C-alpha cells in the first residue's frame, strides 16, 4: 500500500511532509494524554475556573438549587468530593459536618459537597446517616471532578475569597482541628 | 548485602550494554563520515576525513568482535541479577521493596519465583533477560555471509536492551531497600545517612489474579513474542543502514519472525484462557486496552509473515515489509508502554511513575529514526516484478495485508479515541466491545474468505475461472453444511455467514491438502498417509501454514459460538432450589467456608448439574479471599464439552450462605473449539518453523527452484 | 440546563414511584405473598442493560460483572428505573447524562467514533488499488494471454507443478 509508483526515485517531498505531520500529530496526542496523567490534581495557587453544581433538593444553598462558583466570590469555599460507596469518606463525614456548623453562622465560608459517581438514593441515605446539612449535589457528567483531576475520593479543596485554590487534602480528615487549620488562613 | 550486589550487577550490565552498542556503532566510521560529509562546513569535512582514515578492516573487525563479546556478556550478568532477585524473593527478604510488594510468607515457593514478573520492576528485568538471551542467540550464529549486518544488529539489540536495563537500574530498580530515616521509611538504592535498614514482618503478597497457572505462563509467552520480534527489526534496520536492501534480511529472520509469532499467539491465547478461568466475567476477551496492546503487534506481525512471502517469491513490497517490521517493533514497545505507564487507566497505579515519559521518548526516537531511514533508502528498495492479476496469490496477500492493517486501524483508534476525545472535547469516553465487534466483524469475515481462496491461487496469475474450477466442489459442500445448520441449529444470519466461511476455509484447505497428497500418491506410488506425511515434509512452510489456517477456522467456530450464542442468567437460589438454562438444570446443594493453606479464605458452593433429568456431576464455583492482598477472586465452576460450556460463578457482591446464594450461570456454546484450535495451531507452527538441517543450503536451493518454476510455491 | 431539568423530572417521578412501590410492598405483605411479581425486574433484565454500561470507578470492567459497591448501586439504580418503566435507551441516556459519556460502553457520538477508522481503511484501500493499477499496466497485455488458457490447464498444471517439485528436490 506504500509501494512507490515510480521506483528508483526518492519519496516526493509533499508525501514526506504528510508522513511527518501524521507521525508528529500522533505522538503529540499520546504525549498530551500522558502529560495529563502525570499532572496530578490541580495545584494550590491556581485560580479555579467557574463551574456549576446542581444541588440535591433539601441540600440547596440559600434556596438555590444550582450554584456557580462565581456566585460565591468573596467567600471561602470548601469543596469536598465524596461518594456513598466510599468507606474512607465516612471517617471524615462527621468532622466536616461539625466544621460546617461552626462556620455556618459566620457566613464567610461555604461548604460544597460534590457527590462523585453515586446514585441519589444511596447518597441521601449517606447524608441522612451523618446528619449532613451543607450544600450537596451530584457531579454531573463527572465534569467537576475532571476539572480538578481528582485521583479518588475523598479529596477536599480549599478556595480563598478571590477564587484561588489554597490547599488540597487527599484522603480523609482525621480531626476537626485539621479542617479548621485549613479554613482559618482563607479568612484572613 | 545481596540487594546491593544485585544493584551493582545491574549497573555493570548497563555499562557493558552501552559499551557494546557504542563499539558496534563506531566500528563503522564510514557511516559517520558520510553523515559529516553531507554537512557542508569545513570542520565537518575535516572530521569526515579523519574518520575515513580510522576505517581499517582490522580495526573494524576487532571492534565488532569486542562489541559482540560485550553483548554476550550481558546474558550471564542479567542472569546473575535475576538469580539474586529470585534468591531474595524466595527467602522472604522484605527489606527489599520489590519483594515486599509481590510476595508474602504464606505464598508457596513456586509462586515466589514467578513473582519475579508479577510486578513492574521485576517484569522489566525479565524483559531485559529475555532480550539479552535472544540477542546472544543471534550473535552466536555463523556470520560469514552477513558480516556487514553484525555491528548494526548488535547496535539495535543493545540499544533496546540498554533502554530496558537503564530503566530497571535507574527508575524501577527491583533491588531498592527500605531504610528508616528520621523522616520515615522509604526505599532507596543506597543507604542514606542517619538511617537503618527497615525490614517489614510480612509482604503484601502477589496480586491474587496473578497466582493462577495461566498467569504464570502468560506473561513469559507474551514477552517472548515481544522480544523475538526485536530480532527481525534489528536485521531490517541493519539492512537499511548498510544499504544491502535485497531480501537477505528477510531470509535470515524468517524463522525468528515465526517463533515470535508463535509466542505472541500463545501468549494471547493463554491470556484469554486465564481471563476465562479467573476474571469471572464469562468470557475470554473483553477488548480491554491492555489486551489490544498485545493484539496490535500480533496484527502487524501476522501481516508481515504473509507479505514477506511476496518479497521472497516476487521481489515486491520491500518498502512495505520494512514498514511492517518497524510498526511491529514500535507496537511491541507501545504495548509494554500502555500496560506499564498508566496512560490509559487514569486514577490508578503508575500515574506518577517516571517510566511513562521515558517509554514515550524511546518510542518517538526509534519510530522517527526508523521511518527516516526508510525514506532515506526508499529509492534503493525498488520493486522487481509486476502484478499480473488481481486474483494472483500476491494480490490476495495484499488484500490480506489491507485487512490486517484495517483491523489495526480500528484497534488503534479504539485505544487512542478516549485520549483524543478527552483532549479535544473534555469528555471522557469508554470504547467497549460493541465498537470493536461492529467495526472488526466484517473485516474478520473478509479475512476468513481470503483464507479460503488464497491457497487456491497461484503466484503470478490466476483468474476467476481457475479459482472457480478449484473451489466449486468445496463451496458446494460448504453451502450444504450451512443449509444443514440453518435447518438444525440457528437462523441467525451473522452466524450462518460465519459458519459458511469457516466451512469454506476448512473444506478448501483440506481439499488442497488432499489433491497434493493424491498427486504424490499417483506419481510416487506411496500410500495416502505416507503421501500426506511426505507432502508436508516437502514444503513445511506451506503445509504448516495450511494447518495454521485450519486452526484459525476452528478458533473462529469457538468465537462465533460464544459471541453469538452465549446465554446467561443470574439468580439467588436457596438450598436445594433449581434453576435451568440452555438445557441444563442446576441445583444448589451445599456451601462451605474454610481457610486454605496459602493464606486465603475459600467460600465454595456445590451445585449438582442435570441434563434431561440425568445427573452429570457437581460443579464448585468459589470465592477466594486473600488475606495478605485483601482481594477476592471468583473462580467459576466449569463443565466443558465440544457442544458448550456450563460456566457458573458465585456472585461475590451478594451474601453467600446456605439460606441463599446468588449465582451467575453462563452457557457458552462451542467455546472449547477455541482451545482445540490453539492446540492445532501449535502443531502447525512447529511444522512451519522447525529448523531445517542446513538452513543456508536449503535457502539457496529454494531460491533456485523458485526462479525455475515461477508458479511453484 | 437541559440535564438539570431532566434530572429534576426524574427525581420527581422517582418519588412518586417509590411511594407506590412502598404501598405495593405493604399490600403484598398484607396478602402474605412471597414473591413480588410484576414490576420487579429480574437480575437478567438488569444485567442486560448493565452489560452496556461502565462505571468510572472500575474502568474497563462492564457493570454486570463489577463487584464494587459503586457498581452495585448502579445496578440498583437500573432496577429502580426499570420499575419506573424506563426503556433501555432511556436508562443508558440517563447514565450518560448523569455520569458522563464514558458510562456508556459504546461511544455515543457515532460519527466521531467511526469516521476516522473508516477514512483510514478507505485510504489504505485507495493506496492499494492505485498501487495495483500501476503494477499491472506494463504487462497488462501479456497477462491476458496466459490467463485465457490457464483455466483449462489448471488441474493438470497443479499436478504437473507438484511433480516438477518432486523431481527437483529428490
Amino acid at each position: 500500500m506504500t509501494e512507490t509508483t515510480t521506483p528508483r526515485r526518492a519519496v516526493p517531498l509533499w508525501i514526506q511532509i504528510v508522513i511527518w505531520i501524521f507521525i508528529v500529530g500522533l505522538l503529540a496526542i499520546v504525549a498530551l494524554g500522558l502529560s495529563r496523567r502525570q499532572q496530578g490534581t490541580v495545584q494550590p495557587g491556581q485560580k479555579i475556573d467557574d463551574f456549576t453544581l446542581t444541588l440535591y433538593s433539601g441540600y440547596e444553598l440559600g434556596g438555590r438549587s444550582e450554584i456557580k462558583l462565581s456566585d460565591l466570590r468573596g467567600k471561602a469555599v470548601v469543596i469536598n468530593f465524596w461518594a456513598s460507596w466510599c468507606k474512607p469518606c465516612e471517617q471524615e463525614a462527621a468532622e466536616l459536618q461539625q466544621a460546617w456548623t461552626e462556620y455556618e453562622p459566620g457566613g464567610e465560608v461555604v461548604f460544597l459537597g460534590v457527590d462523585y459517581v453515586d446514585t441519589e438514593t444511596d447518597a441521601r441515605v449517606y447524608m441522612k446517616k451523618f446528619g449532613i446539612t451543607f450544600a450537596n449535589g451530584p457531579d454531573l457528567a463527572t465534569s467537576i471532578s475532571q476539572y480538578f483531576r481528582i485521583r479518588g475520593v475523598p479529596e477536599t479543596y480549599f478556595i480563598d475569597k478571590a477564587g484561588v485554590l489554597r490547599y488540597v487534602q487527599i484522603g480523609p480528615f482525621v480531626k476537626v482541628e485539621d479542617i479548621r487549620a485549613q479554613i482559618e488562613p482563607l479568612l484572613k | 548485602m545481596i540487594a546491593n550486589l544485585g544493584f551493582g550487577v545491574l549497573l555493570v550490565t548497563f555499562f557493558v550494554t552501552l559499551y557494546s552498542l557504542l563499539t558496534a556503532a563506531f566500528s563503522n566510521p564510514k557511516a559517520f563520515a558520510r553523515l559529516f560529509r553531507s554537512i557542508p562546513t569545513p570542520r565537518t569535512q575535516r572530521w569526515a576525513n579523519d574518520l575515513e582514515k580510522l576505517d581499517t578492516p582490522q580495526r573494524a573487525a576487532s571492534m565488532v568482535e569486542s562489541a559482540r563479546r560485550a553483548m554476550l556478556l550481558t546474558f550471564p550478568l542479567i542472569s546473575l541479577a535475576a538469580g539474586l532477585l529470585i534468591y531474595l524473593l524466595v527467602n522472604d527478604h522484605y527489606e527489599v521493596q520489590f519483594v515486599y510488594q509481590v510476595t508474602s510468607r504464606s505464598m508457596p515457593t513456586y509462586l515466589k519465583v514467578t513473582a519475579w514478573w508479577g510486578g513492574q520492576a521485576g517484569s522489566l528485568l525479565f524483559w531485559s533477560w529475555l532480550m539479552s538471551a535472544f540477542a546472544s542467540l543471534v550473535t552466536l550464529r555463523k556470520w560469514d555471509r552477513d558480516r556487514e549486518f553484525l555491528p548494526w544488529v548488535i547496535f539495535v539489540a543493545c540499544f533496546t536492551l540498554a533502554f530496558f536495563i537503564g530503566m530497571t537500574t535507574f527508575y524501577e530498580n527491583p533491588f531498592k531497600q527500605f531504610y528508616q530515616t528520621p523522616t520515615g521509611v522509604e526505599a532507596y538504592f543506597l543507604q542514606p545517612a542517619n538511617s537503618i535498614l527497615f525490614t517489614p514482618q510480612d509482604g503484601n503478597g502477589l496480586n491474587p489474579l496473578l497466582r493462577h497457572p495461566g498467569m504464570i505462563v502468560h506473561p513469559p509467552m507474551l514477552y517472548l513474542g515481544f522480544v523475538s520480534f526485536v530480532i527481525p527489526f534489528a536485521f531490517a534496520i541493519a539492512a537499511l543502514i548498510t544499504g544491502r536492501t535485497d531480501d537477505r534480511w528477510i531470509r535470515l529472520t524468517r524463522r525468528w519472525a515465526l517463533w515470535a509469532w508463535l509466542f505472541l499467539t500463545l501468549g494471547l491465547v493463554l491470556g484469554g484462557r486465564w481471563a476465562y478461568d479467573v476474571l469471572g466475567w464469562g468470557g475470554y476477551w473483553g477488548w480491554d486496552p491492555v489486551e489490544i496492546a498485545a493484539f496490535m503487534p500480533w496484527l502487524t506481525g501476522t501481516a508481515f509473515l504473509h507479505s514477506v512471502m511476496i518479497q521472497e517469491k516476487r521481489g515486491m513490497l520491500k518498502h512495505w515489509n520494512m514498514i511492517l517490521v518497524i510498526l511491529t517493533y514500535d507496537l511491541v514497545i507501545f504495548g509494554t508502554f500502555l500496560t506499564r505507564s498508566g496512560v490509559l487507566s487514569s486514577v490508578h497505579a503508575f500515574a506518577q511513575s517516571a517510566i511513562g515519559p521515558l517509554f514515550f521518548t524511546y518510542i518517538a526516537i526509534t519510530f522517527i529514526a526508523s521511518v527516516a531511514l526508510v525514506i532515506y533508502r526508499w529509492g534503493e528498495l525498488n520493486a522487481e516484478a509486476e502484478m499480473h492479476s488481481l486474483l494472483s496469490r500476491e494480490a490476495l496477500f495484499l488484500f490480506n495485508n489491507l485487512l490486517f492493517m484495517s483491523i489495526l486501524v480500528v484497534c488503534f483508534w479504539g485505544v487512542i479515541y478516549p485520549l483524543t476525545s478527552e483532549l479535544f472535547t473534555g469528555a471522557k469516553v469508554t470504547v467497549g466491545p460493541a465498537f470493536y465487534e461492529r467495526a472488526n466483524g466484517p473485516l474478520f469475515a473478509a479475512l476468513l474468505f481470503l483464507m479460503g481462496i488464497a491457497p487456491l491461487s497461484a503466484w503470478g496469475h490466476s483468474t476467476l475461472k481457475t479459482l472457480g474450477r478449484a473451489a466449486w466442489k468445496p463451496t458446494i459442500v460448504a453451502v450444504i453444511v450451512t443449509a444443514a445448520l440453518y435447518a438444525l441449529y440457528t437462523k441467525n444470519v451473522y452466524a450462518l455467514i460465519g459458519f459458511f466461511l469457516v466451512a469454506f476455509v476448512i473444506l478448501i484447505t483440506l481439499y488442497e491438502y488432499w489433491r497434493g497428497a493424491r498427486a504424490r500418491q499417483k506419481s510416487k506410488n506411496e500410500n495416502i498417509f505416507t503421501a500426506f506425511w511426505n507432502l508436508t515434509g516437502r514444503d513445511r512452510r506451506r503445509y504448516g501454514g495450511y494447518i495454521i489456517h485450519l486452526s484459525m477456522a476452528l478458533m473462529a467456530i469457538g468465537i462465533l459460538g460464544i459471541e453469538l450464542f452465549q446465554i446467561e442468567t443470574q439468580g439467588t437460589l436457596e438450598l436445594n432450589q433449581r434453576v435451568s438454562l440452555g438445557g441444563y438444570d442446576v441445583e444448589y446443594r451445599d456451601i462451605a467456608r474454610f481457610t486454605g493453606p496459602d493464606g486465603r479464605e475459600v467460600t465454595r458452593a456445590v451445585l449438582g448439574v442435570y441434563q434431561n433429568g440425568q445427573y452429570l456431576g457437581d460443579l464448585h464455583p468459589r470465592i477466594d479471599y486473600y488475606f495478605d492482598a485483601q482481594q477476592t477472586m471468583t473462580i467459576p465452576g466449569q463443565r466443558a464439552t465440544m457442544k458448550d460450556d456450563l460456566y457458573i460463578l458465585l456472585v461475590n457482591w451478594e451474601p453467600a450462605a446456605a439460606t441463599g446464594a446468588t449465582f451467575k450461570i453462563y452457557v457458552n456454546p462451542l467455546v472449547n473449539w477455541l482451545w482445540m484450535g490453539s492446540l492445532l495451531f501449535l502443531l502447525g507452527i512447529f511444522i512451519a518453523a522447525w529448523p531445517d538441517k542446513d538452513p543456508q543450503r536449503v535457502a539457496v536451493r529454494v531460491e533456485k527452484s523458485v526462479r525455475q518454476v515461477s508458479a511453484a510455491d | 440546563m437541559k440535564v438539570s431539568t431532566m434530572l429534576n423530572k426524574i427525581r420527581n417521578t422517582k418519588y412518586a414511584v417509590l411511594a407506590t412501590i412502598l404501598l405495593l410492598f405493604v399490600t403484598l405483605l398484607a396478602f402474605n405473598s412471597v414473591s413480588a411479581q410484576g414490576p420487579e425486574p429480574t437480575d437478567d433484565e438488569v444485567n442486560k442493560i448493565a452489560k452496556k454500561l461502565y462505571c468510572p470507578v472500575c474502568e474497563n470492567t462492564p457493570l454486570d460483572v463489577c463487584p464494587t459497591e459503586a457498581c452495585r448501586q448502579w445496578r440498583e439504580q437500573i432496577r429502580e428505573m426499570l420499575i419506573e418503566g424506563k426503556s433501555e435507551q432511556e436508562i443508558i441516556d440517563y447514565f450518560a447524562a448523569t455520569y458522563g459519556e464514558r458510562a456508556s460502553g459504546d461511544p455515543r457520538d457515532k460519527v466521531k467514533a467511526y469516521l476516522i477508522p473508516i477514512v483510514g481503511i478507505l485510504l489504505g484501500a485507495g493506496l492499494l488499488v492505485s498501487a495495483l493499477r500501476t503494477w499491472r499496466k506494463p504487462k497488462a497485455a501479456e497477462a491476458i494471454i496466459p490467463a485465457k488458457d490457464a483455466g483449462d490447464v489448471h488441474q493438470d498444471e497443479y499436478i504437473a507443478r507438484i511433480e516438477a517439485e518432486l523431481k527437483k528436490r529428490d
Side-chain angles (χ1 to χ4, degrees):
Chain A
M1 331 202 183
T2 27
E3 199 76 22
T4 176
T5 52
T6 46
R8 284 172 211 287
R9 215 185 290 158
V11 189
L13 192 64
W14 71 271
I15 290 184
Q16 286 196 33
I17 292 171
V18 168
I19 290 172
W20 289 120
I21 287 176
F22 178 73
I23 289 175
V24 168
L26 210 61
L27 290 172
I29 288 173
V30 177
L32 282 171
L34 186 65
S35 73
R36 251 182 107 86
R37 293 283 170 275
Q38 300 260 320
Q39 264 175 337
T41 63
V42 174
Q43 289 303 305
Q46 193 177 324
K47 182 121 166 72
I48 300 301
D49 292 340
D50 200 15
F51 62 82
T52 309
L53 177 66
T54 315
L55 297 168
Y56 288 132
S57 66
Y59 296 90
E60 290 98 344
L61 188 71
R64 276 180 300 178
S65 65
E66 228 179 61
I67 196 79
K68 278 194 164 94
L69 186 65
S70 52
D71 300 340
L72 303 172
R73 206 46 48 84
K75 290 180 181 180
V77 183
V78 177
I79 300 174
N80 175 247
F81 287 93
W82 64 280
S84 65
W85 42 262
C86 144
K87 288 284 161 214
C89 298
E90 296 182 2
Q91 291 175 23
E92 64 169 11
E95 279 76 12
L96 276 170
Q97 177 57 28
Q98 194 189 332
W100 168 239
T101 42
E102 282 172 26
Y103 285 104
E104 190 186 1
E108 274 189 300
V109 185
V110 174
F111 278 41
L112 293 179
V114 181
D115 189 9
Y116 173 75
V117 186
D118 208 347
T119 58
E120 188 172 340
T121 325
D122 294 280
R124 285 183 180 281
V125 171
Y126 177 98
M127 290 188 291
K128 199 153 195 186
K129 181 176 164 194
F130 292 99
I132 283 165
T133 59
F134 56 87
N136 261 291
D139 179 16
L140 283 183
T142 62
S143 56
I144 303 173
S145 54
Q146 246 171 281
Y147 172 77
F148 282 93
R149 297 192 297 269
I150 68 165
R151 289 159 64 198
V153 274
E155 281 183 16
T156 313
Y157 293 77
F158 294 82
I159 298 168
D160 69 12
K161 292 177 174 175
V164 177
L165 182 64
R166 286 295 165 211
Y167 178 73
V168 181
Q169 166 81 16
I170 309 273
F173 281 105
V174 186
K175 293 182 299 227
V176 194
E177 291 85 77
D178 296 339
I179 306 177
R180 268 188 229 124
Q182 296 308 331
I183 295 178
E184 286 309 322
L186 305 180
L187 301 178
K188 276 164 199 160
Chain B
M1 211 47 237
I2 287 170
N4 291 336
L5 183 62
F7 178 54
V9 172
L10 279 183
L11 209 59
V12 171
T13 318
F14 179 68
F15 286 114
V16 169
T17 319
L18 273 191
Y19 169 81
S20 176
L21 94 90
L22 291 176
T23 320
F26 288 115
S27 73
N28 194 349
K30 251 193 281 178
F32 294 92
R34 218 179 307 145
L35 189 72
F36 286 128
R37 187 75 70 204
S38 64
I39 308 168
T41 66
R43 183 178 291 171
T44 49
Q45 295 299 320
R46 211 164 51 238
W47 286 347
N49 290 338
D50 291 346
L51 278 170
E52 269 165 5
K53 264 179 241 149
L54 281 176
D55 185 36
T56 63
Q58 296 91 337
R59 186 196 296 269
S62 64
M63 278 178 90
V64 173
E65 188 54 22
S66 174
R68 191 176 76 100
R69 288 189 184 162
M71 141 146 257
L72 288 175
L73 187 60
T74 59
F75 182 65
L77 278 174
I78 302 178
S79 303
L80 177 61
L84 293 170
L85 184 62
I86 290 173
Y87 174 84
L88 292 170
L89 284 166
V90 170
N91 291 296
D92 304 313
H93 281 272
Y94 298 118
E95 74 276 11
V96 178
Q97 188 189 26
F98 181 72
V99 177
Y100 172 78
Q101 284 167 344
V102 297
T103 63
S104 67
R105 291 191 191 278
S106 60
M107 277 165 56
T109 307
Y110 77 96
L111 276 181
K112 286 181 182 169
V113 176
T114 61
W116 177 14
W117 52 82
Q120 176 98 305
S123 68
L124 287 174
L125 180 67
F126 187 64
W127 215 105
S128 317
W129 184 65
L130 291 176
M131 177 73 233
S132 156
F134 274 54
S136 302
L137 268 179
V138 152
T139 46
L140 280 174
R141 70 180 291 282
K142 268 190 247 145
W143 281 88
D144 23 316
R145 285 186 61 196
D146 318 290
R147 263 295 134 193
E148 71 263 44
F149 282 165
L150 182 57
W152 297 111
V153 169
I154 293 178
F155 175 76
V156 175
C158 279
F159 191 75
T160 313
L161 188 58
F163 170 67
F164 277 91
I165 280 286
M167 220 156 41
T168 322
T169 315
F170 301 111
Y171 293 96
E172 290 289 337
N173 194 311
F175 294 108
K176 269 191 189 176
Q177 297 183 91
F178 289 119
Y179 287 101
Q180 173 88 55
T181 61
T183 50
V185 176
E186 261 201 80
Y188 294 97
F189 297 120
L190 297 169
Q191 184 159 14
N194 301 325
S195 69
I196 49 162
L197 199 63
F198 175 79
T199 311
Q201 272 308 299
D202 199 354
N204 265 337
L206 189 61
N207 182 344
L209 290 176
L210 307 183
R211 298 187 192 191
H212 179 266
M215 204 55 189
I216 291 169
V217 249
H218 159 68
M221 283 298 155
L222 214 53
Y223 280 8
L224 272 172
F226 279 7
V227 165
S228 33
F229 266 123
V230 175
I231 306 301
F233 173 76
F235 275 90
I237 294 297
L240 284 175
I241 292 178
T242 55
R244 185 173 166 187
T245 48
D246 57 356
D247 53 8
R248 182 73 189 144
W249 72 274
I250 280 183
R251 291 186 189 281
L252 285 173
T253 57
R254 186 167 68 195
R255 278 223 161 64
W256 285 100
L258 270 177
W259 287 115
W261 195 64
L262 160 74
F263 290 127
L264 201 51
T265 315
L266 261 189
L268 286 170
V269 170
L270 281 171
R273 182 72 216 193
W274 166 77
Y276 192 70
D277 287 349
V278 168
L279 288 187
W281 31 258
Y284 58 92
W285 184 260
W287 293 104
D288 185 88
V290 174
E291 292 169 334
I292 293 171
F295 187 49
M296 286 193 293
W298 185 87
L299 288 170
T300 50
T302 315
F304 177 71
L305 283 181
H306 286 95
S307 78
V308 288
M309 285 187 244
I310 310 185
Q311 180 167 348
E312 282 177 40
K313 306 281 186 214
R314 310 282 298 168
M316 304 169 72
L317 293 187
K318 289 180 173 176
H319 303 110
W320 181 238
N321 286 325
M322 286 287 178
I323 291 170
L324 276 179
V325 83
I326 290 166
L327 267 181
T328 309
Y329 174 81
D330 272 311
L331 284 172
V332 159
I333 310 282
F334 187 64
T336 322
F337 162 70
L338 280 187
T339 51
R340 293 268 155 227
S341 69
V343 67
L344 292 174
S345 58
S346 57
V347 193
H348 312 100
F350 321 114
Q352 298 294 315
S353 159
I355 73 167
L358 281 172
F359 258 112
F360 175 76
T361 318
Y362 182 79
I363 291 173
I365 289 173
T366 52
F367 195 53
I368 289 174
S370 317
V371 171
L373 262 175
V374 172
I375 290 179
Y376 175 65
R377 292 280 182 204
W378 192 267
E380 285 154 68
L381 291 161
N382 57 314
E384 284 160 9
E386 276 99 18
M387 186 80 58
H388 296 292
S389 153
L390 278 179
L391 292 169
S392 64
R393 186 172 283 194
E394 55 266 37
L396 295 180
F397 272 26
L398 283 179
F399 290 125
N400 145 308
N401 268 237
L402 175 68
L403 288 172
F404 275 112
M405 286 300 110
S406 302
I407 298 172
L408 176 73
V409 166
V410 169
C411 290
F412 190 80
W413 178 245
V415 168
I416 217 84
Y417 179 53
L419 278 182
T420 50
S421 168
E422 197 189 344
L423 284 174
F424 294 120
T425 65
K428 286 189 182 181
V429 292
T430 303
V431 181
F435 169 83
Y436 295 103
E437 279 159 14
R438 204 174 293 138
N440 284 335
L443 298 171
F444 281 128
L447 263 183
L448 271 176
F449 179 68
L450 271 187
M451 210 194 265
I453 59 170
L456 297 177
S457 74
W459 295 107
H461 52 74
S462 282
T463 61
L464 265 182
K465 225 171 165 187
T466 60
L467 281 185
R469 215 186 175 96
W472 71 271
K473 280 185 215 159
T475 310
I476 287 178
V477 181
V479 168
I480 294 170
V481 169
T482 315
L485 284 173
Y486 177 78
L488 299 170
Y489 193 71
T490 176
K491 307 268 185 282
N492 182 324
V493 180
Y494 298 113
L496 288 172
I497 294 173
F499 284 130
F500 168 75
L501 288 170
V502 168
F504 184 68
V505 172
I506 292 179
L507 289 166
I508 285 193
T509 313
L510 290 178
Y511 186 57
E512 255 316 85
Y513 223 118
W514 184 76
R515 283 208 305 170
R518 273 298 292 275
R520 220 190 136 87
Q521 186 191 15
K522 271 187 199 153
S523 66
K524 306 222 85 183
N525 245 342
E526 289 166 339
N527 81 36
I528 192 83
F529 295 105
T530 339
F532 263 120
W533 180 258
N534 288 336
L535 185 71
T536 312
R538 200 48 59 199
D539 192 348
R540 290 212 316 259
R541 197 162 166 221
R542 176 182 185 146
Y543 291 100
Y546 283 180
I547 293 177
I548 293 168
H549 280 184
L550 282 178
S551 77
M552 292 290 162
L554 292 188
M555 290 194 203
I557 295 178
I559 293 167
L560 283 169
I562 197 168
E563 289 294 336
L564 296 171
F565 300 112
Q566 184 182 51
I567 46 174
E568 60 173 282
T569 185
Q570 180 185 320
T572 307
L573 298 182
E574 282 171 35
L575 226 47
N576 300 320
Q577 205 183 342
R578 282 195 182 193
V579 65
S580 47
L581 181 75
Y584 291 102
D585 290 303
V586 177
E587 187 181 69
Y588 177 30
R589 290 236 172 108
D590 194 12
I591 193 158
R593 185 164 294 167
F594 52 88
T595 308
D598 49 349
R600 64 191 159 138
E601 185 192 60
V602 181
T603 310
R604 182 167 165 275
V606 181
L607 294 138
V609 179
Y610 299 85
Q611 196 169 29
N612 305 323
Q614 202 188 342
Y615 173 69
L616 296 176
D618 283 346
L619 284 184
H620 307 109
R622 55 174 219 265
I623 299 172
D624 292 0
Y625 176 75
Y626 286 84
F627 296 114
D628 49 10
Q630 299 182 355
Q631 252 180 299
T632 56
M633 293 238 291
T634 45
I635 307 292
Q638 293 179 49
R639 185 179 182 280
T641 64
M642 291 315 282
K643 185 170 165 283
D644 52 24
D645 277 19
L646 181 65
Y647 181 104
I648 304 180
L649 287 165
L650 189 51
V651 168
N652 64 350
W653 56 81
E654 302 282 352
T659 48
T662 308
F663 296 95
K664 230 173 148 64
I665 304 171
Y666 295 86
V667 173
N668 297 329
L670 304 174
V671 70
N672 234 352
W673 291 78
L674 184 63
W675 319 123
M676 295 294 163
S678 55
L679 290 180
L680 187 65
F681 168 83
L682 263 185
L683 176 74
I685 202 144
F686 273 113
I687 288 175
W690 200 257
D692 287 316
K693 276 172 209 125
D694 188 355
Q696 301 274 333
R697 264 185 54 214
V698 173
V700 175
R701 241 164 55 186
V702 168
E703 240 177 84
K704 264 190 209 150
S705 71
V706 162
R707 259 180 227 129
Q708 279 158 10
V709 195
S710 73
D713 185 12
Chain C
M1 282 295 111
K2 228 178 180 179
V3 171
S4 66
T5 51
M6 197 185 85
L7 211 72
N8 275 323
K9 215 168 113 195
I10 290 165
R11 207 176 295 139
N12 293 338
T13 51
K14 194 197 288 169
Y15 281 139
V17 174
L18 273 176
T20 48
I21 290 165
L22 213 68
L23 204 74
L24 201 79
F25 202 65
V26 171
T27 45
L28 279 171
L29 276 179
F31 284 103
N32 203 12
S33 169
V34 191
S35 63
Q37 285 189 344
E40 178 72 21
T42 63
D43 286 348
D44 292 343
E45 284 165 321
V46 174
N47 280 342
K48 192 172 156 265
I49 297 170
K51 234 183 177 51
K52 298 176 180 167
L53 293 171
Y54 286 75
C55 160
V57 177
C58 28
E59 276 178 66
N60 300 319
T61 309
L63 188 59
D64 65 326
V65 292
C66 179
T68 62
E69 176 63 16
C71 289
R72 198 196 57 72
Q73 290 181 2
W74 275 33
R75 284 190 293 267
E76 226 29 66
Q77 177 88 24
I78 296 174
R79 193 184 302 273
E80 282 172 26
M81 294 181 78
L82 280 172
I83 294 170
E84 289 165 33
K86 293 274 188 296
S87 73
E88 181 179 316
Q89 195 53 48
E90 282 173 317
I91 293 174
I92 292 176
D93 289 344
Y94 166 82
F95 273 88
T98 316
Y99 305 111
E101 260 202 66
R102 64 173 150 167
S104 158
D106 200 11
R108 295 172 64 73
D109 192 335
K110 293 280 182 292
V111 177
K112 255 194 269 166
Y114 289 90
L115 186 69
I116 296 227
I118 287 173
V119 167
I121 291 170
L122 289 180
L123 221 69
L127 267 172
L128 176 65
V129 168
S130 77
L132 281 175
R133 284 171 85 175
T134 50
W135 284 330
R136 277 191 78 185
K137 245 175 221 159
K139 301 244 171 136
E142 286 167 53
I144 298 163
I145 303 156
K148 259 186 184 162
D149 46 17
D152 304 317
V153 297
H154 180 84
Q155 196 81 22
D156 301 338
E157 177 218 61
Y158 180 81
I159 290 158
R161 188 168 97 204
I162 285 180
E163 278 165 358
E165 264 175 82
L166 294 177
K167 266 179 217 148
K168 201 138 289 148
R169 293 186 194 174
D170 282 323

